[in-house]
Amino acid sequence: MIPVSLTIKGLYSYQKEQTIDFSKLLEGQLFGIFGAVGSGKSSILEAISYALYGDTERLNRTDNRSYNMMNLRSNELLIDFTFVNYDTFTYRFVVRGKRNSKNHEKVGTLERTSYKQVNGLWEPLDGANGEQVIGLSYDNFRRTIIIPQGKFQEFLQLGDKDRTVMLREIFQLEKYEFFYQAASLEKRNNEHIQRLTGELANYNTVTLEEIEASKERLNVLSNAVKDTKANLDNKVLLLQAMEKLKLSYQEYQSYGLQVQELHDRKNYFEELKASIARFNFCMLHFRADLLQHAKLKQDRGQLDQDLSLLIKSLDDINKKLIINQEKYDLLKRDFDQLDNWKLKIGDYDRSIAVRKLDTDLLELQQRIAKGQAILDDKEGEKLKLSEQVEQLAAEIKKRNQELPDYGLLSQLRQWYLTNRHLKNTLLLDEQDYEKAKQKVQENTKLLDEISFESVLINNEIKSGVSLKLIRDLLENVALEEQNASAKLTHYQLQLKLGEFSSHLHLGNACPLCGSLEHPQILQAEDVQLEFESIQKDIEALKIKKKTLDGLLLKVSSLELSLEKSREIEEKALQKQKNSLAALQEHQKSFVWGGFKPDDEAKLDELEQNAKKEKEYITALENSLEQKRASAKEVEGVLLKYKTALDKLQLDYREKSGQVSLLKQQIQEQHLSVLSQFSLEELQAEKLLLEQRIADVQQNHDQLKLEIEAFNNQIISLKERINALEERRRTLEKEYLHLEQAFEVKLKESGFGTLEEVRVILNQNLNIPALEKELQDYQLKLYNAEQNYQRLSKELENQAFDENQFVQLKTEVAELQSAFQKQHEEQIREQVFLKNQEAGLQKKTALLNELGSLQLRGQNIDQLKNLFRSSGFVNYISSFYLNQLCAAANERFYKLSKQQLKLELSDKNDFLIRDYLNDGKLRSVKTLSGGQTFQASLSLALALAESVQKQNKSEQNFFFLDEGFGSLDKEALQTAFETLKSLRKENRIVGVISHVEDLQQEIDVFLQVKNDSAEGSLIKGNWE
């Protein structure tokens, strides 16, 4: 990640908008951000972290973060961070927030958005997750890229588990987590084995012996089926011949009975044939004419009925027409007066308007008089307020001129405050000095008391105890204890040898060498008393050593405490002198005449009087503002009333003109009459006349329409009556012609009357069905006679034996049953053999597959054991950690002047190889503050380098916040040289610090200053 720009506004101490363009800073590859404590340096890193991750080092989500992050003087917050990622794309993360305008302590949730630059345009991303873009969690981001205050040593001091988790995330080691894949493979493999085992259980009875036995049984069954089938075929052929003969005899008998039955029904079908002929003749020659005859008779009756109704309707309409014509003639006289009545309506409207305008004019006269009176009152009030405003303004001006010089008072007040602060500081410094002086006296007294203690040395009493004396005594005691221990060992050997020699006798085996002969037996001395004496001496020496150790610790502690107390005393004395000098210097700066350095009460009295006078002037100014507001309000009212009065007068003139014009438009014959009516009477008369006009117009139009409708109906009815009379004459002619035709057809057909014909036709015979029935009878009779004659000839020399037929049929049935059973048994055996052979083949394949799976299961189990408890990931993590340690040592060894190196323990904890102490190992916790910084810096650089390689980025960047304050000048110079050397490695490093020496070493840096009025301000040293 390479930063491009950062804009901050309303965050922590940043009140005004500040923008950092990193292009100038990145040119030198090593830049700084400097400022005093509390200037807002670390807030820059906080802004970047919150923009990317929504999290900060200072505040968590329970700290009312939105409110506490926003500057108390700001109403909105903005963070706009742009950077180039390792994927070469440019990204932008923005944070915005606003303060509630009604509640200062209420700040809404800060809104975070993110964008990606594509073809020069910012395209929004889903959410604002820096981890997805950069590939680092927040914790690892602040360990590798932005390292905040107090977190620089975190990676060095992390435990094995946390460090492994960190490396796993940074280097994406989860891809080496194969345990679950192995477990999943094992599960699937076991499931497959279980399934195969279950399948094999179905083939337990499948064997080669069973297959051979089945083949033998199948051969026997095949021969038996073949023999039975041949015998059955012969019997079936004989049975088929007898069945055919039996069927012929049965048909012969059946046809004989059928011929007899058909001859019995011959008379019925001859009568049926005659009825069909009569019905068909009547249908052909009479039916159509009879239907037409009935239709003409029906139509003639209907015409007579319709004609009677039309004549009656015509008579009714003529009567209604006469009545309406009489009404129309009476209404026409009023209809001719409509135009005059409408003119009168217009005069009514104008008279009503004149009445209304007269009322309005009277009301306007009253409103004009009332408005003029109010206008006069407001003019007087305006004049009075103007005089009061002038008087108040003059008095305020006079009193402001009499006020004291507030700048002078402010300078005096600041001098007195500083003087009081310096006096208090001097008093506190004097108290601190007295306390430090007393502490030195106490420690000196305690040390003097110990110095006069007596110590026994080689049976001599010595006084004046010192650290050198105690160390000498301890060396002597250690030497004496060493000599005593050697003597004790010698006496122990003598005692043991004496014990062995006392048990040696001729003929008895030696317990050491096993020899039976003992030519020169040792004569050991009796040293038991000396042995016990030496033991007591050693115990006494141990007690003496313990006493001396306690005394050494006590004296060392007191001397160290005395040394620190004297340092504190010197610093307190110097601080007291500085405070006294500052106070004296300040008192020399008092230059105000009329005042005394020790008379602050006079200033208090003057300020109090000025305050009261200022409050009185403020009250006068408020009163002046109120008077001016009242005057402005009166002016507004005056303008409002003048405008309203002018409008009323204009309305009065306009309405007077309207009255004159309306009176001129009223007809003279109506003017005198209408003037006698009131407004309500005029409106009532107008309504009555309007209603009369409407009624006359409506009745006239309605009667006119009805008369026209009646005339049209009369014409239509007359035309329909004429048409019906013509139609009736035509029907009558057709009816007479049809009667004549019937007489001719009856004579020719032989029927007596038309009634006979109607009876035949009314039979409603189904002729097609009857003809088909007759045809079927004739066909059946013919076929039965032919078949009877044919079968009689065929059976002339043949005989059928029923008993022989039944016996043969029984034999065939028994053979078929036997054959069926044999064939079914043969099929079952064939199926069994086929299944056994297929089962044997399947069983062999399953056994082969099961063997392969069992072997694979053993291999998977070995893999799972290797990957258990993230073992492989931990191994890879250790490999990465060793690489980091080696890379870090390249710098750490140099920074520590070839004295220290980092190493890893079996538990992957960092240890220190100390070459000043024979290369022995010790804990990293024993490092000094400067050494810890050197080790942490080396690890941070190595980790950043690994992240760069991991992301395949051309450049690597990280921020370092503080950490240099713990280094001495030499170590600081070495660390700085290390940072500068990173330029050759294409690295970019940003250093945040308040250490002044660094500013002299870094060419390009930002200076952050916290201004009391404008908040934190950022300025480059090149600006």
Side-chain angles (χ1 to χ4, degrees):
M1 181 194 78
I2 306 299
V4 176
S5 66
L6 173 65
T7 298
I8 307 174
K9 180 183 179 182
L11 175 70
Y12 293 129
S13 58
Y14 287 86
Q15 183 177 345
K16 293 187 175 182
E17 184 174 304
Q18 300 292 304
T19 298
I20 301 174
D21 183 358
F22 285 93
S23 59
K24 182 68 175 178
L25 299 173
L26 299 179
E27 289 177 0
Q29 295 186 295
L30 177 63
F31 65 89
I33 299 177
F34 301 118
V37 175
S39 60
K41 305 184 300 299
S42 298
S43 297
I44 295 173
L45 304 190
E46 291 271 305
I48 295 174
S49 298
Y50 190 80
L52 292 174
Y53 294 95
D55 208 344
T56 66
E57 191 66 25
R58 301 185 194 177
L59 302 171
N60 55 42
R61 290 178 174 81
T62 62
D63 292 329
N64 192 9
R65 185 158 55 192
S66 298
Y67 171 77
N68 287 315
M69 285 180 67
M70 186 175 288
N71 183 277
L72 293 175
R73 297 181 183 177
S74 301
N75 293 323
E76 61 178 334
L77 180 145
L78 170 66
I79 303 173
D80 192 338
F81 179 51
T82 305
F83 63 94
V84 177
N85 201 25
Y86 68 86
D87 58 7
T88 70
F89 283 103
T90 302
Y91 294 86
R92 180 185 178 195
F93 280 70
V94 181
V95 181
R96 297 182 187 275
K98 287 188 176 182
R99 192 184 301 279
N100 190 298
S101 58
K102 297 181 180 179
N103 187 350
H104 184 271
E105 296 184 357
K106 187 175 182 181
V107 178
T109 302
L110 301 182
E111 179 184 357
R112 299 174 57 249
T113 54
S114 61
Y115 308 88
K116 180 180 180 180
Q117 193 175 67
V118 180
N119 298 326
L121 300 176
W122 291 112
E123 292 187 357
L125 302 176
D126 293 335
N129 191 340
E131 183 171 353
Q132 292 181 354
V133 175
I134 299 175
L136 292 173
S137 67
Y138 171 67
D139 288 335
N140 289 331
F141 178 77
R142 65 186 179 84
R143 290 168 180 158
T144 58
I145 294 182
I146 289 184
I147 306 175
Q149 289 182 349
K151 299 297 180 181
F152 194 52
Q153 306 167 13
E154 186 174 289
F155 180 69
L156 179 65
Q157 297 174 353
L158 279 176
D160 177 47
K161 181 180 179 182
D162 293 335
R163 192 184 294 113
T164 300
V165 171
M166 174 183 171
L167 293 175
R168 178 185 296 187
E169 179 182 322
I170 292 176
F171 299 110
Q172 301 174 5
L173 302 184
E174 62 274 1
K175 61 188 176 185
Y176 299 110
E177 183 60 86
F178 298 134
F179 175 77
Y180 298 105
Q181 291 93 320
S184 178
L185 284 174
E186 183 182 49
K187 181 181 178 182
R188 292 198 298 270
N189 194 69
N190 290 338
E191 289 175 352
H192 201 173
I193 289 174
Q194 291 176 0
R195 182 175 61 78
L196 290 179
T197 304
E199 289 186 36
L200 283 170
N202 299 326
Y203 299 100
N204 290 335
T205 59
V206 177
T207 60
L208 283 172
E209 294 77 8
E210 186 63 31
I211 291 174
E212 292 300 325
S214 176
K215 287 180 179 179
E216 197 63 37
R217 291 194 299 272
L218 184 61
N219 188 34
V220 173
L221 285 171
S222 298
N223 294 330
V225 168
K226 185 177 180 181
D227 295 341
T228 305
K229 183 68 169 59
N231 191 15
L232 177 62
D233 290 342
N234 294 331
K235 295 287 184 180
V236 167
L237 289 175
L238 184 59
L239 179 62
Q240 289 174 349
M242 293 191 71
E243 284 178 342
K244 185 177 180 181
L245 180 62
K246 179 182 179 181
L247 183 61
S248 297
Y249 268 101
Q250 290 175 346
E251 287 180 353
Y252 176 74
Q253 294 173 354
S254 175
Y255 281 128
L257 293 173
Q258 189 175 357
V259 168
Q260 183 63 39
E261 291 176 355
L262 290 173
H263 277 291
D264 293 342
R265 300 184 63 192
K266 187 174 182 180
N267 292 334
Y268 164 74
F269 281 102
E270 287 179 351
E271 179 61 28
L272 179 63
K273 184 177 180 181
S275 298
I276 291 171
R278 289 195 299 273
F279 185 83
N280 286 335
F281 181 84
C282 291
M283 286 289 291
L284 178 63
H285 295 90
F286 288 98
R287 186 172 183 277
D289 291 340
L290 285 172
L291 291 174
Q292 186 179 5
H293 182 267
K295 180 70 169 53
L296 289 172
K297 187 175 180 180
Q298 181 181 1
D299 291 347
R300 188 175 62 182
Q302 185 64 43
L303 278 173
D304 291 341
Q305 185 179 356
D306 293 344
L307 191 58
S308 176
L309 292 173
L310 289 174
I311 292 171
K312 184 177 181 305
S313 297
L314 181 61
D315 184 49
D316 293 339
I317 291 172
N318 280 325
K319 291 177 181 179
K320 292 179 181 178
L321 179 61
I322 294 171
I323 294 171
N324 282 358
Q325 190 64 49
E326 291 174 353
K327 290 180 180 180
Y328 182 78
D329 294 339
L330 291 174
L331 188 63
K332 194 170 186 310
R333 288 193 297 271
D334 290 339
F335 183 76
D336 293 338
Q337 291 293 323
L338 286 180
D339 292 337
N340 293 331
W341 291 351
K342 290 178 181 179
L343 291 175
K344 195 172 183 179
I345 289 291
D347 288 342
Y348 274 126
D349 287 334
R350 285 184 281 275
S351 297
I352 290 170
V354 169
R355 294 290 188 277
K356 291 182 178 179
L357 286 171
D358 288 341
T359 304
D360 293 343
L361 288 171
L362 180 60
E363 183 182 352
L364 284 172
Q365 286 177 345
Q366 295 172 353
R367 292 178 64 188
I368 289 169
K370 184 178 179 182
Q372 188 62 49
I374 295 173
L375 195 62
D376 294 340
D377 292 341
K378 291 298 178 181
E379 286 287 356
E381 186 179 351
K382 177 185 176 184
L383 181 61
K384 184 178 178 181
L385 286 171
S386 298
E387 293 173 353
Q388 292 174 350
V389 166
E390 291 177 0
Q391 292 173 0
L392 285 171
E395 185 176 359
I396 291 170
K397 182 177 180 182
K398 178 182 177 183
R399 289 184 177 273
N400 278 326
Q401 291 173 350
E402 295 173 353
L403 286 173
D405 185 355
Y406 279 101
L408 178 64
L409 295 181
S410 177
Q411 293 175 3
L412 268 171
R413 175 56 63 195
Q414 185 63 39
W415 189 93
Y416 281 123
L417 288 173
T418 304
N419 190 63
R420 198 185 314 149
H421 172 69
L422 290 174
K423 285 183 177 181
N424 292 335
T425 302
L426 178 59
L427 179 61
L428 292 174
D429 290 343
E430 289 173 348
Q431 293 174 355
D432 291 342
Y433 173 68
E434 289 299 326
K435 290 179 181 177
K437 186 176 180 181
Q438 184 179 357
K439 186 66 175 178
V440 170
Q441 293 173 354
E442 290 175 357
N443 288 332
T444 303
K445 183 179 179 182
L446 290 173
L447 192 59
D448 290 342
E449 290 175 354
I450 293 176
S451 298
F452 289 106
E453 290 182 1
S454 298
V455 180
L456 182 65
I457 303 175
N458 296 329
N459 298 323
E460 294 182 3
I461 302 291
K462 291 191 177 182
S463 300
V465 178
S466 65
L467 288 176
K468 184 177 183 308
L469 177 61
I470 296 172
R471 291 193 180 100
D472 293 340
L473 291 175
L474 282 171
E475 289 179 4
N476 292 334
V477 169
L479 185 60
E480 290 178 9
E481 187 177 7
Q482 183 178 358
N483 294 332
S485 296
K487 289 181 180 180
L488 184 66
T489 302
H490 174 73
Y491 290 143
Q492 284 178 332
L493 179 60
Q494 289 292 323
L495 289 173
K496 198 64 178 175
L497 290 174
E499 182 181 349
F500 281 135
S501 62
S502 65
H503 289 88
L504 289 179
H505 299 289
L506 187 62
N508 293 337
C510 176
L512 294 178
C513 63
S515 176
L516 298 175
E517 296 181 358
H518 319 292
Q520 294 181 352
I521 297 175
L522 174 67
Q523 299 298 321
E525 299 177 4
D526 186 5
V527 293
Q528 183 65 35
L529 294 176
E530 288 82 352
F531 178 76
E532 293 176 356
S533 176
I534 288 295
Q535 282 184 324
K536 292 179 182 180
D537 291 343
I538 290 174
E539 289 297 326
L541 287 170
K542 288 182 179 179
I543 294 171
K544 187 175 181 180
K545 183 181 179 183
K546 185 176 181 182
T547 302
L548 288 172
D549 285 337
L551 189 60
L552 178 64
L553 180 62
K554 187 175 181 181
V555 172
S556 299
S557 177
L558 284 174
E559 286 188 352
L560 182 62
S561 178
L562 179 60
E563 184 180 352
K564 290 184 177 179
S565 299
R566 285 173 176 164
E567 290 178 0
I568 294 171
E569 180 186 16
E570 291 176 3
K571 291 180 180 179
L573 179 60
Q574 184 60 42
K575 192 175 180 184
Q576 177 187 346
K577 292 178 180 179
N578 293 339
S579 297
L580 180 59
L583 177 61
Q584 292 171 349
E585 186 67 25
H586 178 69
Q587 289 181 345
K588 291 178 183 179
S589 65
F590 192 83
V591 294
W592 293 277
F595 294 91
K596 296 179 181 180
D598 54 352
D599 189 9
E600 190 176 356
K602 184 176 180 180
L603 177 62
D604 294 339
E605 181 181 358
L606 186 59
E607 285 181 339
Q608 190 66 28
N609 294 335
K611 181 180 180 183
K612 290 180 180 178
E613 184 65 18
K614 188 64 178 177
E615 289 175 352
Y616 183 72
I617 292 173
T618 302
L620 290 176
E621 289 174 345
N622 292 336
S623 179
L624 177 61
E625 289 299 321
Q626 292 175 0
K627 295 296 182 184
R628 284 175 176 166
S630 299
K632 188 175 181 180
E633 183 178 354
V634 169
E635 285 181 2
V637 172
L638 274 172
L639 179 61
K640 178 180 176 183
Y641 275 102
K642 283 181 180 179
T643 304
L645 193 59
D646 291 342
K647 188 175 183 302
L648 289 174
Q649 291 172 347
L650 179 62
D651 288 348
Y652 185 83
R653 290 192 295 273
E654 288 179 354
K655 289 184 178 181
S656 297
Q658 290 175 8
V659 169
S660 300
L661 182 61
L662 289 171
K663 286 183 178 180
Q664 291 174 6
Q665 293 174 352
I666 298 174
Q667 301 179 52
E668 293 182 2
Q669 65 270 24
H670 294 153
L671 183 59
S672 58
V673 176
L674 295 177
S675 62
Q676 298 174 4
F677 291 113
S678 65
L679 177 61
E680 291 76 13
E681 291 173 339
L682 286 171
Q683 290 174 337
E685 287 295 328
K686 177 193 172 186
L687 286 174
L688 289 174
L689 186 57
E690 285 177 341
Q691 185 62 43
R692 186 176 182 186
I693 291 171
D695 292 343
V696 168
Q697 183 71 50
Q698 182 181 2
N699 293 333
H700 175 270
D701 294 342
Q702 185 176 356
L703 286 172
K704 187 177 180 180
L705 290 173
E706 289 179 358
I707 289 171
E708 289 177 358
F710 287 152
N711 287 326
N712 292 333
Q713 290 178 10
I714 288 172
I715 293 171
S716 176
L717 286 172
K718 287 181 178 180
E719 290 176 353
R720 290 174 65 187
I721 289 170
N722 292 334
L724 288 176
E725 288 177 345
E726 180 64 27
R727 173 65 179 158
R728 192 180 187 290
R729 288 192 291 272
T730 301
L731 287 176
E732 190 65 29
K733 290 179 181 179
E734 291 177 357
Y735 188 80
L736 292 174
H737 178 74
L738 199 58
E739 287 284 338
Q740 294 171 359
F742 279 144
E743 292 178 0
V744 173
K745 287 183 178 182
L746 285 173
K747 290 179 181 179
E748 292 176 354
S749 64
F751 291 108
T753 63
L754 281 175
E755 189 62 29
E756 292 180 14
V757 175
R758 287 193 180 94
V759 169
I760 292 172
L761 291 174
N762 288 337
Q763 289 178 351
N764 197 19
L765 298 176
N766 188 350
I767 296 302
L770 293 175
E771 287 178 345
K772 186 176 186 309
E773 183 182 359
L774 178 62
Q775 186 178 3
D776 290 344
Y777 168 76
Q778 292 172 347
L779 183 60
K780 283 181 180 180
L781 180 60
Y782 175 78
N783 288 334
E785 288 176 345
Q786 291 296 320
N787 286 323
Y788 185 76
Q789 294 172 3
R790 176 179 60 78
L791 289 171
S792 177
K793 290 180 181 179
E794 289 178 356
L795 299 173
E796 186 173 359
N797 298 319
Q798 296 186 35
F800 175 74
D801 188 344
E802 181 68 25
N803 294 329
Q804 186 181 359
F805 174 75
V806 171
Q807 182 180 356
L808 181 60
K809 191 174 182 179
T810 302
E811 291 176 358
V812 168
E814 290 175 351
L815 283 172
Q816 285 178 336
S817 177
F819 175 75
Q820 183 68 25
K821 290 179 181 179
Q822 290 174 349
H823 184 62
E824 288 176 355
E825 188 174 354
Q826 181 189 21
I827 291 173
R828 283 195 298 272
E829 195 63 38
Q830 287 174 344
V831 171
F832 176 76
L833 178 60
K834 183 177 180 181
N835 290 339
Q836 286 290 98
E837 290 174 342
L840 182 62
Q841 185 177 2
K842 180 68 174 178
K843 182 178 181 180
T844 303
L846 289 175
L847 286 171
N848 292 334
E849 186 177 1
L850 180 61
S852 299
L853 288 174
Q854 288 172 340
L855 179 61
R856 186 166 185 257
Q858 295 173 3
N859 295 332
I860 291 173
D861 186 60
Q862 292 179 1
L863 286 175
K864 194 175 75 167
N865 291 330
L866 288 174
F867 300 144
R868 191 180 306 277
S869 300
S870 301
F872 191 57
V873 174
N874 292 335
Y875 169 75
I876 298 296
S877 173
S878 299
F879 175 76
Y880 274 91
L881 194 57
N882 276 291
Q883 285 188 325
L884 284 175
C885 188
N889 274 327
E890 293 179 7
R891 294 183 179 87
F892 182 50
Y893 188 59
K894 179 181 178 182
L895 286 173
S896 64
K897 299 180 180 180
Q898 293 77 39
Q899 296 176 4
L900 303 174
K901 272 191 176 182
L902 288 167
E903 292 191 10
L904 290 170
S905 68
D906 296 338
K907 297 181 179 180
N908 282 339
D909 290 328
F910 282 113
L911 298 173
I912 295 297
R913 177 73 67 181
D914 191 344
Y915 291 102
L916 285 179
N917 292 288
D918 301 326
K920 294 181 178 179
L921 292 173
R922 58 188 173 97
S923 171
V924 293
K925 296 180 181 179
T926 63
L927 292 174
S928 66
Q931 291 171 336
T932 301
F933 171 78
Q934 292 171 345
S936 300
L937 175 62
S938 302
L939 279 172
L941 293 172
L943 190 59
E945 181 181 19
S946 298
V947 171
Q948 178 185 359
K949 292 179 179 178
Q950 178 75 15
N951 295 332
K952 298 180 181 179
S953 59
E954 296 180 357
Q955 280 189 318
N956 182 263
F957 170 86
F958 77 92
F959 257 118
L960 178 60
D961 189 0
E962 298 297 349
F964 297 95
S966 60
L967 304 180
D968 56 28
K969 288 189 176 182
E970 187 177 357
L972 179 64
Q973 185 62 34
T974 304
F976 182 71
E977 291 298 329
T978 302
L979 293 175
K980 287 199 297 185
S981 68
L982 299 178
R983 297 173 180 173
K984 300 176 183 178
E985 303 175 18
N986 205 18
R987 294 178 184 272
I988 300 171
V989 179
V991 176
I992 296 179
S993 180
H994 65 274
V995 177
E996 295 182 358
D997 292 344
L998 283 177
Q999 297 186 32
Q1000 302 173 6
E1001 299 289 347
I1002 296 179
D1003 299 331
V1004 182
F1005 59 84
L1006 297 175
Q1007 189 71 41
V1008 184
K1009 178 184 178 183
N1010 191 348
D1011 185 82
S1012 58
E1014 298 182 352
S1016 292
L1017 302 175
I1018 301 174
K1019 185 177 181 180
N1021 67 328
W1022 62 89
E1023 297 177 344

